Amino acid sequence: MTEFTHKQPELTDTRGRSLRDLRISVTDRCNFRCRYCMPREVFGDDYAFLPHEALLTFEEITRLAKVFASLGVHKLRLTGGEPLLRRDLETLLQMLREIPEIRDIAMTTNGSLLTEQRAKSLRTAGLTRLSVSLDALDDNIFMAMNDVHFPASRVLTAITAAQTAGLTPVKINMVVKRGVNETQLLPMAEYFRHSGQVLRFIEYMDVGNSNGWRMDDVLSAAEILSTVQKQWPLKPLPAQTPGEVATRYSYVDGGGEIGIIASVTRPFCGGCTRARLTSEGHLYTCLFASQGLDLRAHLRRGDTEEQLYELIAQTWGLRTDGYSEIRLAHTPGFQNKIEMSHMGG
Ligand code: SAM
Ligand code: SF4
Ligand code: SF4
């Protein structure tokens, strides 16, 4: 591979947004069937997941990551599907950490395959931060949500393993769905207060076409905040970085901090600096996009780094995305959007 150092002045889209973060989905498969993400009626035994040869290889991912880095990306996040289902992820981490512009490599996982030893090897290989998804402490509720009978206690063990391995603070992602797990807001908050970990409540989103989303199912950030606040007063914290998706609060009594990701009721499109690469190498500039750019085809037909650079720069330069803002302003049409498990959350 030729070295590639091309740099152009700050790349921005049509709304002046820079390209800063890249989410890389390393697999479209998952061992959970969360009702809000991969419901088993759609992702059943006969579902056609991608064959291995369709996935980008680690070399292809790294090649693209280098081009993205030269366009301004400093942060990478590995996701899926369930990223820990992809074999030898440590090898990919070791390759990505060698890219000079990359300062941060995070991962989002359901925690089901994360032992202490695995957490240590991921960290040694270059992982800097970890988010673990957990929607409830109550097993009846959690199992109904993950739909594979996976107990909450095993995710809690994985979170402790990550903490022991030094992947701190671990962020805990809790998707909140009205009438499903809202009773878990306070137990979850209580469990993670004073733990050094950061619980983040996520408004249930209308990603993909398969989760049967209705606005009525969304427990808003305002409702989440008022429920927690009544029990343990909170104060807002300033954003740490521009374009931060979570609004941060700290417990007044020193119990640590929480975050709320209000993509439905308080969209943050104006500061959205994120691109997404699917496991088969399609680039999406919005989580809710229906059209992606097939970078794998360009890689496999022998495009040079310069050509890939121009292609991605042009795509970002033309970007107009702001789906969540539009959804808030209008009655949305939920057709033909790509599934979140496929694009990478
Ligand atoms: N399997 C990994 C996991 O669950 O952490 C990584 C992929 S998952 C698609 C990434 C994140 O998206 C998870 O935290 C998950 O809870 C969240 N997510 C999935 N579907 C969602 C939805 N409909 N609304 C809000 N968040 C969702
Ligand atoms: Fe799998 Fe994560 Fe989607 Fe749940 S949210 S089905 S764990 S990809
Ligand atoms: Fe970014 Fe699209 Fe989400 Fe808006 S809706 S924040 S543009 S990914």
Side-chain angles (χ1 to χ4, degrees), residues 95-115:
M95 292 162 78
L96 295 173
R97 78 185 303 182
E98 294 301 317
I99 304 172
E101 296 92 339
I102 299 300
R103 302 178 196 140
D104 190 21
I105 312 179
M107 181 168 73
T108 308
T109 173
N110 62 25
S112 60
L113 301 167
L114 192 72
T115 58

Side-chain angles (χ1 to χ4, degrees), residues 36 79-82 108-110 133 173 175 203 205 207 211 340:
Y36 54 70
T79 181
E82 173 45 44
T108 308
T109 173
N110 62 25
S133 304
N173 285 351
V175 175
E203 284 181 349
M205 293 187 291
V207 281
N211 70 6
M340 189 164 180

Side-chain angles (χ1 to χ4, degrees), residues 101-313:
E101 296 92 339
I102 299 300
R103 302 178 196 140
D104 190 21
I105 312 179
M107 181 168 73
T108 308
T109 173
N110 62 25
S112 60
L113 301 167
L114 192 72
T115 58
E116 195 175 313
Q117 197 187 5
R118 190 78 206 272
K120 281 186 182 147
S121 76
L122 291 164
R123 178 154 193 243
T124 308
L127 190 70
T128 45
R129 290 185 304 122
L130 190 70
S131 300
V132 179
S133 304
L134 177 65
D135 299 326
L137 291 178
D138 179 293
D139 268 340
N140 288 330
I141 299 175
F142 186 52
M143 288 179 183
M145 291 180 85
N146 65 52
D147 212 8
V148 290
H149 251 78
F150 201 86
S153 57
R154 285 181 58 192
V155 182
L156 294 175
T157 306
I159 293 167
T160 308
Q163 199 174 23
T164 310
L167 290 164
T168 48
V170 183
K171 288 184 181 156
I172 318 300
N173 285 351
M174 173 182 180
V175 175
V176 190
K177 202 171 164 189
R178 189 189 298 283
V180 176
N181 64 339
E182 65 198 273
T183 58
Q184 295 295 291
L185 288 176
L186 293 179
M188 286 282 286
E190 182 163 35
Y191 186 92
F192 290 106
R193 272 163 51 77
H194 297 289
S195 69
Q197 292 137 4
V198 178
L199 176 61
R200 300 177 340 149
F201 302 103
I202 304 178
E203 284 181 349
Y204 168 51
M205 293 187 291
D206 52 326
V207 281
N209 306 301
S210 51
N211 70 6
W213 186 90
R214 296 177 317 139
M215 187 68 192
D216 291 351
D217 295 331
V218 179
L219 195 75
S220 71
E223 291 170 285
I224 294 169
L225 187 64
S226 104
T227 303
V228 180
Q229 173 109 274
K230 267 185 210 142
Q231 189 72 20
W232 299 288
L234 292 160
K235 59 173 186 242
L237 289 172
Q240 282 170 317
T241 50
E244 198 166 69
V245 296
T247 314
R248 299 160 58 235
Y249 299 87
S250 67
Y251 291 110
V252 172
D253 67 2
E257 75 172 73
I258 60 162
I260 303 189
I261 303 179
S263 12
V264 178
T265 62
R266 287 186 224 140
F268 33 80
C269 303
C272 181
T273 55
R274 221 157 294 119
R276 293 177 154 86
L277 186 62
T278 65
S279 49
E280 82 273 49
H282 292 189
L283 170 66
Y284 287 86
T285 57
C286 177
L287 180 55
F288 299 93
S290 50
Q291 280 285 317
L293 170 68
D294 185 358
L295 289 175
R296 186 188 63 188
H298 287 270
L299 281 167
R300 294 191 182 173
R301 76 174 192 210
D303 274 18
T304 63
E305 262 58 17
E306 283 290 338
Q307 286 170 317
L308 293 168
Y309 180 98
E310 290 307 331
L311 197 62
I312 298 168

Side-chain angles (χ1 to χ4, degrees), residues 30 32-34 36-38 80-82 110 341:
C30 190
F32 281 18
R33 285 293 176 273
C34 301
Y36 54 70
C37 180
M38 294 177 75
E82 173 45 44
N110 62 25
S341 57

